[in-house]
Amino acid sequence: PLWTPADALTLGEWVKERIAIPLDEWETLAAALGAEPREALASDPTLGGRIALIRREGAGLPAMVHREWAALWKQEALTRLGPWLRFEGPVSIARIAAVFGVTVAEAAGAADALAESGDLVTDVTLAVSGGTAETAGEALVCDRENLELLLRLGRKKRRSAVPERPAALIVPYLALRQGIIPGPAAGEPWSVLAGYPAPAALWESDIFPVRLAAYTPETLDRELEQGRLLWYGAGRERIAFAPLADLDLCMADSRQPPFAGAEGAFFFDTPRDFWEIRDYLGPDDTLTVLRKLWNEVWKGILSADSFEPVRRGIAQGFIPKELVRGAEEIAAAGTIAARFGVNPALPRVPRRIPRALRDRWRAGPPLPGRWFSLAADDPLDGSEDALDGEELDRRRVRLLLRRWGVLARPLLEREEPCLSWGRLLPAIRRLELAGELTAGRFFAGIDSLQFASPDIGRELEAAENFTGIYWMNAADPASPAGLRLGGLDAGAELSRLPGARLCFRGAALIAVSGRNGRDLRISIPPEDSGQEEALGFLTYPRSCSGGRHKKILIETINGVSAAQSPYADALRALGFLPDRSQLVLW
C-alpha cells in the first residue's frame, strides 16, 4: 500500500530498476495498480515500447523486461543476478533457474560466487507460523541487506513496544545501571566502568566509594595484588581500570614498548622497581627519570602492581615540587661555579650524611611499586582474521552495554576511540540482527539511534519508580553534566568539573555543590522534610576514605551568605558551624 507506481512513466522506470519482473509477480503488481497506470497498460501493454514480456530459452516462465535490458536479458541474463536479487526476498535456486532459463547447477554456481563476495546469504530457511508454504523448510538464498532488513522487521513485529521515557529519567537509570543506586543491574564497579578514563584523584574520593558503601583503599589493593585488575594511564593525570580479561577491549591495538628508542625491548617483561628503571635509562637524574616514567604511564604504556604511586602522586604531586626545587638549586649552583671558575664536578665531600637526606633514603625510592609494560606482545598489524576483529568489537559492545544499558552517540562520546560510537556501530547493528540488542526510542531528546538489551523495560520501570536521594561527582561517568539531550534540564548547563557534586531526588536535580563546596545551589524549599538527608552529601569529603579535606567551607547558598541562608539551620544539624558569613565543618 502507498508504494505502487502512480502513473505509466513511474511503472516503466520501476520495471527498468527491477531488470526483470517474473510473470507471476507482474500479475500481482498489475492487480494492485491505481486507475491511471492500469488504464495505460490496458491500452498499450508495452507502454509505448518501453517494456516487453520475454521468455528466455529454457525458462519456466516469462518476465517483464525494460527495453534497455532486453538484449542483455536474452543473451547473458545470469550476469545480472546480483542486482535482480536486491529486489527479492529469500528465493530458491530452482526459482532462479526457472526465471533465468539456466540449469540448477548454473544457478547454484552464480549464487555461490555472490556469497563468496559477501553480497548473498545462502542456506536461509523460511519458517511460516500458522500455515504452510511451498518454501517452508527449503534452503533459500537472499540478498544480504534484504535479509538484515527482514530480520529487523520481524523482530520489531514480535517485540513488545517499550514506551519512550522523558530525557530526565536517564539520570536515575544510569545511577541504577552503574551501582550508584543499589540494585541488581550493577556489577562490580571496576567491571562496569572498565576502560572509562577519569581524573586520577576521583577514583578513590568520589567514584568507587559512592558505588561501594564499605570501600577502602585496601579493597582496590586486594584486586590489584591478586591479579584480577590493573590500572593504566588514559591521558595526563587520568586513569582507567580494567579486569585482565577486558584489557584488549579497552586499550588501543597499537601499544608500543615503553621508552621508545631505549635498548632492551624485553626489559619490562619482568616488573621493575624505580632504581632498576633509573639504571636502565642511563645517567639521568631522579627528576628526569620521574618525568619520563609518568609520561609513559599517561600514554598507557606502563603500569604498576600497586595503586600507591598514584595515591602518592595525588597527595604530593606526580612530579614533587621539592625535587623540582632541588634540581633548580643544583642548576643555579652550577651556573655560579662556572662563573667563578669552580669545577662543579669536584664537590666537597661531606664528613657525614645529613639526617634529612638519610631519612629520605630510608623512606624508599621516589616512586613505589614494581612497573611493567602494557605493550601488546603481538600488536595488530592489519593482517589478522576479520572474524577476530569482529568478535573483539562485539565484546566491546557488550562491555559498553554493561556500563550504559542504552547505547547512543551522546553517551559514547565520553569513551576512548576504541570504544567510540563510529567504530562500533557496525558491530552494534550486527548484534541487533542477532537479537542480542533491540533498537527503539527509549529516551526522548537523544538525537541518535538507540540500542538496548531486550529486557530494558524492567530497568526503565525501576528508574521511574525510584524516588530516593543520591549524589555523584559532576565528572562521574553517570553524571548528566555536559550531556546535551533535549529536555534534560540538568545537563548542558552543568560543567564536568571534579570540584562539583550533584544531588538528585529521583530524576530531579535538587542541589549542586561547586568549588569543592564553597558555592551551593539548592532547589528544594527550606521547609522540605527531606532537607537534611538531601544536604548530607556535603559532609562526605570529611568522612570518605579517599578524602583529603581537613575542613569543608560553605561561602554562599543560592547567592546569599551561607550563615544568613534559610538553609543554615539544616546545615547546623549536620555539624556545620557559623564563622562570620560562612559555615564550616571541621
Side-chain angles (χ1 to χ4, degrees):
L2 306 179
W3 284 87
T4 52
D7 50 40
L9 180 62
T10 306
L11 179 59
E13 290 300 310
W14 194 331
V15 176
K16 178 181 176 181
E17 190 176 33
R18 290 281 304 272
I19 301 175
I21 303 179
L23 180 60
D24 52 358
E25 294 181 30
W26 175 255
E27 290 173 345
T28 301
L29 173 62
L33 291 174
E36 182 179 343
R38 187 181 300 176
E39 291 173 3
L41 275 179
S43 61
D44 182 3
T46 68
L47 299 180
R50 291 196 293 274
I51 62 176
L53 195 63
I54 300 175
R55 181 193 292 269
R56 280 177 48 80
E57 183 178 351
L61 70 166
M64 189 63 72
V65 182
H66 194 275
R67 63 188 175 193
E68 291 193 14
W69 296 114
L72 182 64
W73 185 254
K74 293 175 182 177
Q75 297 171 9
E76 300 177 351
L78 208 55
T79 61
R80 305 307 297 167
L81 177 60
W84 181 79
L85 285 170
R86 291 174 192 158
F87 296 90
E88 296 285 338
V91 297
S92 66
I93 295 295
R95 171 143 178 107
I96 294 174
V99 172
F100 283 76
V102 295
T103 65
V104 171
E106 290 173 328
D112 289 341
L114 290 172
E116 288 180 5
S117 66
D119 297 324
L120 194 71
V121 178
T122 58
D123 296 325
V124 177
T125 302
L126 177 64
V128 180
S129 177
T132 59
E134 293 180 1
T135 55
E138 181 181 357
L140 311 172
V141 298
C142 187
D143 177 83
R144 179 177 296 277
E145 291 186 5
N146 288 355
L147 181 61
E148 291 177 353
L149 176 62
L150 289 168
L151 291 172
R152 191 176 298 119
L153 291 173
R155 281 196 304 277
K156 183 177 180 180
K157 182 178 289 187
R158 290 192 300 270
R159 70 173 179 246
S160 57
V162 177
E164 183 180 81
R165 264 60 173 199
L169 193 69
I170 200 168
V171 181
Y173 174 81
L174 292 179
L176 278 164
R177 188 77 191 181
Q178 296 188 14
I180 293 176
I181 300 172
E188 293 182 326
W190 23 83
S191 175
V192 173
L193 301 180
Y196 187 89
L202 284 188
W203 285 106
E204 291 198 292
S205 68
D206 286 56
I207 296 179
F208 287 152
V210 298
R211 290 166 169 81
L212 294 172
Y215 178 82
T216 62
E218 290 74 21
T219 308
L220 179 60
D221 292 340
R222 186 165 51 251
E223 295 294 319
L224 293 169
E225 289 168 4
Q226 295 178 358
R228 294 193 294 264
L229 183 70
L230 59 78
W231 63 269
Y232 60 92
R236 186 170 181 80
E237 298 190 17
R238 294 175 66 83
I239 293 292
F241 291 86
L244 291 186
D246 292 338
L247 186 61
D248 282 341
L249 311 182
C250 302
M251 301 192 73
D253 298 331
S254 56
R255 301 192 300 277
Q256 301 301 320
F259 305 112
E263 297 180 359
F266 305 105
F267 176 77
F268 282 100
D269 284 356
T270 300
R272 306 289 184 173
D273 64 22
F274 179 84
W275 303 121
E276 290 176 298
I277 295 173
R278 177 172 173 170
D279 294 340
Y280 168 68
L281 292 178
D284 291 332
D285 58 74
T286 296
L287 179 60
T288 302
V289 174
L290 271 177
R291 284 174 171 158
K292 287 183 176 181
L293 192 148
W294 280 117
N295 184 55
E296 300 298 281
V297 170
W298 302 138
K299 290 190 294 186
I301 295 175
L302 276 182
S303 184
D305 58 2
S306 164
F307 201 60
E308 198 55 38
V310 180
R311 293 187 184 118
R312 183 180 294 189
I314 294 168
Q316 302 176 1
F318 290 95
I319 306 297
K321 293 181 180 179
E322 62 176 15
L323 281 180
V324 176
R325 284 196 300 268
E328 292 172 347
E329 291 171 0
I330 292 172
T335 302
I336 294 172
R339 180 178 301 175
F340 292 98
V342 179
N343 186 356
L346 299 173
R348 183 177 64 85
V349 178
R351 286 175 297 176
R352 63 182 181 86
I353 299 175
R355 181 178 299 277
L357 295 181
R358 189 165 64 245
D359 289 344
R360 181 184 300 177
W361 185 268
R362 288 173 180 171
L367 206 57
R370 298 181 64 80
W371 298 83
F372 53 86
S373 171
L374 295 176
D377 292 334
D378 50 350
L380 300 182
D381 58 7
S383 62
E384 288 72 18
D385 191 332
L387 289 177
D388 293 339
E390 168 67 16
E391 179 57 29
L392 275 176
D393 282 348
R394 289 189 180 212
R395 290 173 58 199
R396 290 183 174 111
V397 172
R398 295 181 186 113
L399 182 153
L400 291 172
L401 194 65
R402 289 201 305 263
R403 174 146 61 243
W404 301 111
V406 171
L407 302 179
R409 182 188 295 274
L411 296 176
L412 270 57
E413 284 178 349
R414 301 178 179 180
E415 298 289 349
E416 293 288 88
C418 62
L419 297 173
S420 66
W421 173 261
R423 170 171 178 156
L424 295 181
L425 183 57
I428 293 173
R429 284 289 201 186
R430 284 187 278 273
L431 286 175
E432 182 206 5
L433 291 171
E436 196 168 329
L437 295 177
T438 182
R441 291 285 303 174
F442 307 112
F443 291 102
I446 297 181
D447 187 18
S448 161
L449 295 168
Q450 300 177 44
F451 300 87
S453 59
D455 59 354
I456 187 176
R458 293 195 297 271
E459 296 180 27
L460 291 172
E461 290 176 4
E464 277 183 318
N465 294 331
F466 184 80
T467 57
I469 292 173
Y470 58 100
W471 70 271
M472 65 187 74
N473 191 283
D476 190 279
S479 166
L483 190 61
R484 290 173 172 79
L485 302 186
L488 181 60
D489 296 333
E493 77 281 2
L494 297 174
S495 298
R496 294 184 63 80
L497 297 175
R501 294 183 174 90
L502 316 176
C503 183
F504 296 87
R505 177 186 283 157
L509 179 65
I510 59 175
V512 177
S513 166
R515 296 174 57 215
N516 288 316
R518 285 182 170 83
D519 296 332
L520 185 60
R521 284 184 287 152
I522 306 173
S523 57
I524 57 175
E527 61 274 12
D528 191 297
S529 60
Q531 186 182 167
E532 286 188 24
E533 180 186 1
L535 298 180
F537 79 102
L538 297 171
T539 68
Y540 171 79
R542 288 287 291 115
S543 60
C544 72
S545 58
R548 303 181 306 281
H549 299 274
K550 295 182 179 179
K551 67 176 180 179
I552 301 172
L553 182 67
I554 302 177
E555 296 177 353
T556 63
I557 301 176
N558 293 346
V560 178
S561 297
Q564 283 74 47
S565 168
Y567 299 93
D569 290 342
L571 290 167
R572 289 191 189 97
L574 292 171
F576 284 86
L577 300 174
D579 183 5
R580 299 182 182 179
S581 63
Q582 305 168 344
L583 292 172
V584 182
L585 178 66
W586 295 96

PDB file of all heavy atoms in Angstrom, residues 96 309 332 413 417 476 502 575:
ATOM      1  N   ILE A  96      15.326 -19.371  -9.335  1.00  0.00           N
ATOM      2  CA  ILE A  96      16.290 -18.614 -10.135  1.00  0.00           C
ATOM      3  C   ILE A  96      16.493 -19.303 -11.480  1.00  0.00           C
ATOM      4  O   ILE A  96      16.499 -18.658 -12.543  1.00  0.00           O
ATOM      5  CB  ILE A  96      17.623 -18.484  -9.378  1.00  0.00           C
ATOM      6  CG1 ILE A  96      17.448 -17.617  -8.126  1.00  0.00           C
ATOM      7  CG2 ILE A  96      18.707 -17.888 -10.283  1.00  0.00           C
ATOM      8  CD1 ILE A  96      18.673 -17.561  -7.235  1.00  0.00           C
ATOM      9  N   PRO A 309      51.663   4.394  43.885  1.00  0.00           N
ATOM     10  CA  PRO A 309      52.293   5.509  43.168  1.00  0.00           C
ATOM     11  C   PRO A 309      51.301   6.605  42.783  1.00  0.00           C
ATOM     12  O   PRO A 309      51.622   7.796  42.845  1.00  0.00           O
ATOM     13  CB  PRO A 309      52.882   4.845  41.923  1.00  0.00           C
ATOM     14  CG  PRO A 309      53.039   3.412  42.280  1.00  0.00           C
ATOM     15  CD  PRO A 309      51.927   3.103  43.230  1.00  0.00           C
ATOM     16  N   ALA A 332      71.389  26.194  39.472  1.00  0.00           N
ATOM     17  CA  ALA A 332      71.877  27.536  39.820  1.00  0.00           C
ATOM     18  C   ALA A 332      73.291  27.464  40.375  1.00  0.00           C
ATOM     19  O   ALA A 332      74.158  28.298  40.061  1.00  0.00           O
ATOM     20  CB  ALA A 332      70.936  28.173  40.836  1.00  0.00           C
ATOM     21  N   GLU A 413      30.234   9.354  23.378  1.00  0.00           N
ATOM     22  CA  GLU A 413      31.196  10.426  23.116  1.00  0.00           C
ATOM     23  C   GLU A 413      32.206  10.556  24.249  1.00  0.00           C
ATOM     24  O   GLU A 413      33.284  11.136  24.068  1.00  0.00           O
ATOM     25  CB  GLU A 413      30.464  11.761  22.923  1.00  0.00           C
ATOM     26  CG  GLU A 413      29.787  11.887  21.566  1.00  0.00           C
ATOM     27  CD  GLU A 413      29.017  13.190  21.413  1.00  0.00           C
ATOM     28  OE1 GLU A 413      28.838  13.889  22.436  1.00  0.00           O
ATOM     29  OE2 GLU A 413      28.595  13.506  20.290  1.00  0.00           O
ATOM     30  N   PRO A 417      38.720   6.154  21.912  1.00  0.00           N
ATOM     31  CA  PRO A 417      38.473   5.879  20.491  1.00  0.00           C
ATOM     32  C   PRO A 417      38.137   4.426  20.178  1.00  0.00           C
ATOM     33  O   PRO A 417      37.294   4.163  19.315  1.00  0.00           O
ATOM     34  CB  PRO A 417      39.793   6.299  19.825  1.00  0.00           C
ATOM     35  CG  PRO A 417      40.331   7.372  20.716  1.00  0.00           C
ATOM     36  CD  PRO A 417      39.954   6.951  22.112  1.00  0.00           C
ATOM     37  N   ASP A 476      31.632  12.284  37.305  1.00  0.00           N
ATOM     38  CA  ASP A 476      31.374  10.845  37.391  1.00  0.00           C
ATOM     39  C   ASP A 476      30.901  10.330  36.034  1.00  0.00           C
ATOM     40  O   ASP A 476      30.254  11.047  35.274  1.00  0.00           O
ATOM     41  CB  ASP A 476      30.297  10.586  38.448  1.00  0.00           C
ATOM     42  CG  ASP A 476      30.143   9.116  38.777  1.00  0.00           C
ATOM     43  OD1 ASP A 476      29.456   8.405  38.016  1.00  0.00           O
ATOM     44  OD2 ASP A 476      30.721   8.677  39.780  1.00  0.00           O
ATOM     45  N   LEU A 502      26.661  16.750  42.479  1.00  0.00           N
ATOM     46  CA  LEU A 502      25.250  16.904  42.146  1.00  0.00           C
ATOM     47  C   LEU A 502      24.420  15.978  43.025  1.00  0.00           C
ATOM     48  O   LEU A 502      24.777  14.801  43.197  1.00  0.00           O
ATOM     49  CB  LEU A 502      25.001  16.561  40.669  1.00  0.00           C
ATOM     50  CG  LEU A 502      25.998  17.115  39.644  1.00  0.00           C
ATOM     51  CD1 LEU A 502      25.656  16.597  38.260  1.00  0.00           C
ATOM     52  CD2 LEU A 502      26.004  18.634  39.677  1.00  0.00           C
ATOM     53  N   GLY A 575      26.307  19.491  61.533  1.00  0.00           N
ATOM     54  CA  GLY A 575      27.596  19.722  62.156  1.00  0.00           C
ATOM     55  C   GLY A 575      28.313  20.974  61.690  1.00  0.00           C
ATOM     56  O   GLY A 575      29.408  21.275  62.188  1.00  0.00           O
TER      57      GLY A 575
END
